Amino acid sequence: MSGEGRAKEEGHGKISRVIRLGTRKSQLARIQTDSVADKLKELYPDVHLEIVAMSTIGDKILDQALSKIGEKSLFTKELENALERNEVDIVVHSLKDLPTALPLGFTIGAVLERESPNDAVVLHPKNAGLTLDALPDKSVIGTSSLRRAAQLKKRFPQLEFENIRGNLNTRLRKLDEKDDYAAIILAAAGLKRMGWEDRISQILGPDDCMYAVGQGALAVEVRARDKDILEMVSVLHHPDTVLRCIAERAFLRHLEGGCSVPVAVHTEVKESVLYLTGAVYSLDGADCLKETMQTIIAPNSAAEECVQDGVHVGVTANNIPASSKAAAEKLGVDLATLLLSKGAKDILTTARQLNDAR
Ligand code: DPM
């Protein structure tokens, strides 16, 4: 057990382990980590939890678009270093910030129930009451997401798109206090967790803008060898979210897309069927390949034996039926294979080259 050195003796003679949760220093990261800590506290009242906050490269380089820095594990590297050195035992991330292949020795031990995965429009106060459709021609929309820009450029050709960086607080300040942007696009989940739901003026559905792989779900990253912690956090897994996210991540991995390519998804679970829609776009959205496939998964009540069947696109979920995880992963691979057969590779390669040259 890796935390032995820190076991804490309590007054009544019981030994209980101290569990450290690492987090980025941003307000959103703190809120997300606190929410996982609260859930663990409820489930394991005897465990001592400590929160350790640190800065990451992604927090330090705020003047460049994410997609241009070229560091896949931008927000995660320092936290993983701390995990590796046993300085922390658990790191909470937005799943969409975790690469589909984690560095050796780490795994996602829990994927929590997904918040709304959709993107949302936040308007400059002077535009209150409008929608993207109704904004004046040439209004500037702030987003640094190639995925959002590609889809919205196609759907709203009368609008213009510019990068905006910084954490959520910074972005809202840049929106409100300057006249640079008519609106910005952010994940609804982040806004809700920050308590800023009242700033959402429009939720973008799949016809306007499909979401990023893993968007809206929280992931708990742990040392793959730390069986105690893995078992402890596994009860946080939300089965439908896990299966949707395995399918989405398998799709992205098979496309060889990173967190900064114009790839979008939509998933649903209905009556034991998992549906996955996936799409790739050129930077201006003009070229688009989009398909939907489905697979059958075990009903939630299924009494299938759970086995230790290893890792699925980074996720360890031994308490979820193995056949369902395998079906979800295959669904993602199959959909990616279909899109690749229709020319997805060319679209993504061109998008990457154009973005790198900007
Ligand atoms: C990733 C992207 C963005 C974040 C790319 C994308 C948005 C970048 C930007 C992979 N990570 O979505 O196409 O707008 O410049 C991020 C946010 C959250 C997690 C903020 C947001 C909160 C929502 C969640 C940044 N990572 O997307 O508005 O937990 O899913």
Side-chain angles (χ1 to χ4, degrees), residues 64-74 260 356:
Q64 286 183 59
L66 260 189
S67 54
K68 297 228 61 171
I69 305 172
E71 169 72 71
K72 262 194 183 171
S73 48
L74 212 52
S260 56
D356 289 346

Side-chain angles (χ1 to χ4, degrees), residues 39 111-116 193 216-218 236-242:
K39 290 199 171 73
V111 179
L112 282 77
E113 181 166 10
R114 197 173 215 172
E115 257 286 353
S116 158
R193 293 188 196 119
L218 293 186
L236 299 173
H237 271 309
H238 181 258
D240 280 1
T241 305
V242 172

Side-chain angles (χ1 to χ4, degrees), residues 74-316:
L74 212 52
F75 293 109
T76 56
K77 201 176 217 148
E78 272 98 333
L79 293 162
E80 278 164 353
N81 289 344
L83 257 186
E84 185 58 50
R85 292 192 298 257
N86 287 339
E87 292 165 12
V88 300
D89 306 293
I90 286 176
V91 178
V92 178
H93 305 274
S94 285
L95 180 60
K96 84 161 167 172
D97 293 328
L98 284 182
T100 52
L102 297 184
L104 205 66
F106 304 108
T107 189
I108 297 166
V111 179
L112 282 77
E113 181 166 10
R114 197 173 215 172
E115 257 286 353
S116 158
N118 296 311
D119 288 327
V121 179
V122 179
L123 291 170
H124 189 285
K126 74 176 180 208
N127 295 318
L130 297 184
T131 57
L132 289 184
D133 266 323
L135 286 172
D137 284 5
K138 304 218 180 305
S139 290
V140 174
I141 311 301
T143 178
S144 310
S145 155
L146 301 182
R147 171 188 62 82
R148 289 170 181 151
Q151 294 181 82
L152 296 174
K153 276 176 187 168
K154 180 76 195 298
R155 177 80 176 72
F156 303 98
Q158 74 281 15
L159 301 176
E160 296 190 347
F161 294 84
E162 279 177 24
N163 281 328
I164 181 165
R165 282 281 288 131
N167 60 37
L168 287 187
N169 309 62
T170 312
R171 290 188 195 204
L172 279 186
R173 197 165 9 90
K174 285 181 180 169
L175 173 69
D176 289 349
E177 290 176 7
K178 296 189 190 173
D179 215 10
D180 296 352
Y181 308 101
I184 58 176
I185 314 293
L186 294 169
L191 289 162
K192 286 185 184 170
R193 293 188 196 119
M194 295 287 276
W196 293 335
E197 213 172 340
D198 59 332
R199 287 302 306 266
I200 298 178
S201 44
Q202 186 180 356
I203 292 280
L204 298 174
D207 293 336
D208 288 330
C209 189
M210 297 206 299
Y211 42 83
V213 164
Q215 185 162 316
L218 293 186
V220 176
E221 189 182 17
V222 300
R223 289 177 291 272
R225 62 174 184 275
D226 200 337
K227 302 298 174 221
D228 295 345
I229 296 274
L230 256 177
E231 196 183 318
M232 176 178 180
V233 300
S234 68
V235 296
L236 299 173
H237 271 309
H238 181 258
D240 280 1
T241 305
V242 172
L243 296 175
R244 288 169 67 185
C245 291
I246 285 177
E248 294 172 15
R249 286 169 62 80
F251 172 68
L252 183 62
R253 183 164 79 181
H254 203 71
L255 283 177
E256 295 172 47
C259 67
S260 56
V261 290
V263 170
V265 293
H266 181 85
T267 48
E268 261 176 280
V269 175
K270 265 189 281 183
E271 288 159 13
S272 300
V273 179
L274 171 61
Y275 300 84
L276 168 65
T277 301
V280 303
Y281 306 89
S282 59
L283 291 186
D284 62 2
D287 291 334
C288 162
L289 288 170
K290 177 169 159 182
E291 295 291 341
T292 302
M293 290 176 85
Q294 63 200 62
T295 191
I296 293 175
I297 53 171
N300 274 336
S301 54
E304 185 185 333
E305 208 179 312
C306 293
V307 290
Q308 303 219 343
D309 65 336
V311 178
H312 297 268
V313 272
V315 181
T316 302

